[in-house]
């Protein structure tokens, strides 16, 4: 089963996915790293050379290439924008399960202000600009994120919380819905 972790930049998708698969096994794929390996260029270079449109095209291609792992336990940390472009969210829901790591704009802002450098979308923003950016973009992206099969809120985001969520998603499980 493919499980896609989705959520805003700074939500901790990669960290949680890495820890989860260390504890519970299975394959872990970070979609950004996967795409960078396919492109032979960093995310920043892709944005600089091909713009965001080029990045989104490559992101979609990388996503589609994950179909090969459909029959093995595979946890994928998506980029923050992955579910929000084209019909990526539909594709993910058709090919696997989706788990949204939902954090408040305040928490995301706190985390992101220490991690701006490697993210082209926020690299050049001031402290105040970053706050507004997070609030506005989260509001725009929320309708996509909310389509996830499972939503984990701040207190539920842990290896244990994710394990419970993934177990509830296994075919034949009595409750394959939100763990709110
Ligand atoms: C993006 C998030 C990034 C990366 C790219 C665009 C976004 O991934 O895919 O910089 O649009 O939110 P992370 O969420 O892992 O930072």
């Amino acid at each position: 089963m493919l499980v896609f972790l989705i959520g805003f930049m700074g939500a901790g998708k990669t960290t949680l996915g890495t820890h989860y698969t260390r504890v519970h096994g299975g394959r872990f794929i970070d979609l950004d790293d996967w795409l960078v390996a396919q492109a032979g260029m960093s995310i920043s270079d892709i944005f600089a050379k091909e713009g965001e449109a080029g990045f989104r095209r490559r992101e979609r291609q990388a996503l589609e290439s994950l179909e090969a792992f459909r029959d093995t336990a595979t946890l994928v940390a998506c980029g923050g924008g992955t579910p929000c472009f084209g019909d990526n969210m539909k594709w993910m829901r058709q090919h696997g399960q989706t788990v949204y790591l939902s954090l408040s704009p305040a928490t995301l802002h706190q985390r992101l202000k220490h991690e701006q450098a490697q993210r082209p979308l926020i690299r050049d923003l001031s402290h105040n600009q970053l706050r507004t950016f997070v609030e506005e973009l989260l509001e725009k992206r929320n309708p996509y994120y909310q389509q996830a099969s499972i939503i984990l809120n701040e207190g539920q985001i842990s290896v244990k919380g994710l394990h419970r969520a993934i177990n509830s998603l296994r075919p034949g499980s009595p409750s394959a819905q939100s763990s709110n």
Side-chain angles (χ1 to χ4, degrees):
M1 178 169 76
L2 278 166
V3 176
F4 299 98
L5 292 180
I6 64 169
F8 207 81
M9 287 175 266
K13 303 170 295 270
T14 302
T15 306
L16 180 63
T18 309
H19 288 167
Y20 181 89
T21 46
R22 256 187 222 141
V23 175
H24 293 289
R27 184 193 306 268
F28 173 70
I29 295 175
D30 180 275
L31 189 63
D32 280 338
D33 291 347
W34 190 251
L35 176 166
V36 162
Q38 285 179 356
M41 270 191 280
S42 70
I43 304 266
S44 299
D45 285 347
I46 298 171
F47 267 79
K49 290 194 179 126
E50 303 175 0
E52 184 171 355
F55 174 78
R56 297 301 169 194
R57 253 193 319 275
R58 289 182 180 275
E59 185 177 47
R60 171 63 185 214
Q61 279 167 8
L63 193 60
E64 286 182 9
S65 72
L66 299 179
E67 188 163 3
F69 303 113
R70 208 173 170 177
D71 296 330
T72 53
T74 304
L75 186 57
V76 181
C78 295
T82 311
C84 315
F85 288 84
D87 67 347
N88 289 354
M89 190 61 187
K90 186 172 164 204
W91 191 94
M92 288 191 273
R93 290 175 56 89
Q94 282 171 345
H95 291 81
Q97 299 286 354
T98 44
V99 179
Y100 172 34
L101 309 186
S102 174
L103 294 174
S104 67
T107 302
L108 292 168
H109 178 245
Q110 280 305 316
R111 292 192 185 180
L112 286 170
K113 68 184 186 193
H114 304 295
E115 304 175 8
Q116 285 180 245
Q118 66 274 32
R119 293 181 165 99
L121 290 178
I122 58 172
R123 193 174 38 208
D124 301 324
L125 302 181
S126 71
H127 182 88
N128 283 341
Q129 285 171 329
L130 180 63
R131 179 176 227 111
T132 312
F133 176 88
V134 171
E135 283 167 2
E136 290 179 357
L137 190 57
L138 186 59
E139 199 172 311
K140 258 202 235 157
R141 289 183 169 180
N142 238 328
Y144 299 94
Y145 293 152
Q146 294 292 334
Q147 293 171 35
S149 323
I150 296 264
I151 297 173
L152 294 182
N153 291 309
E154 209 141 338
Q156 302 169 307
I157 300 176
S158 61
V159 169
K160 202 168 153 194
L162 181 60
H163 189 55
R164 240 186 325 160
I166 289 179
N167 276 337
S168 78
L169 290 169
R170 289 191 200 292
S173 152
S175 76
Q177 272 311 304
S178 173
S179 71
N180 281 329

